[in-house]
Amino acid sequence: MIQPQSITFFIDRCLGNRRIVETLRAAGITIKIHDEHFDKGAQDVDWLPEVGKMGWVVLYQRWQD
């Protein structure tokens, strides 16, 4: 049987609260957290290309004005 490719999800700072992270990890989902890899003040234009190079799927919340 062919094993499915592992997917890593990257949690943007806007979703980086412990409840979401702990829930997803408890479900066996591989999670990377913004603040564990980038400075808190890192701009999207700086970290998004790096996350893309790693092949991680970004989870974020779109804020509406």
Side-chain angles (χ1 to χ4, degrees), residues 4-62:
Q5 180 179 350
S6 174
I7 297 174
T8 298
F9 291 92
F10 179 85
I11 304 291
D12 189 14
R13 293 197 82 232
C14 62
L15 289 180
N17 70 53
R18 290 206 180 276
R19 181 178 298 164
I20 292 170
V21 172
E22 290 172 359
T23 301
L24 293 173
R25 283 186 173 157
I29 297 170
T30 303
I31 300 295
K32 302 292 182 181
I33 302 170
H34 180 281
D35 291 353
E36 292 177 355
H37 297 275
F38 303 99
D39 292 333
K40 290 182 181 181
Q43 298 295 309
D44 291 354
V45 296
D46 296 324
W47 64 261
L48 275 169
E50 298 303 315
V51 170
K53 287 177 191 174
M54 298 300 291
W56 298 342
V57 176
V58 176
L59 300 179
Y60 74 100
Q61 180 176 352
R62 180 174 176 222

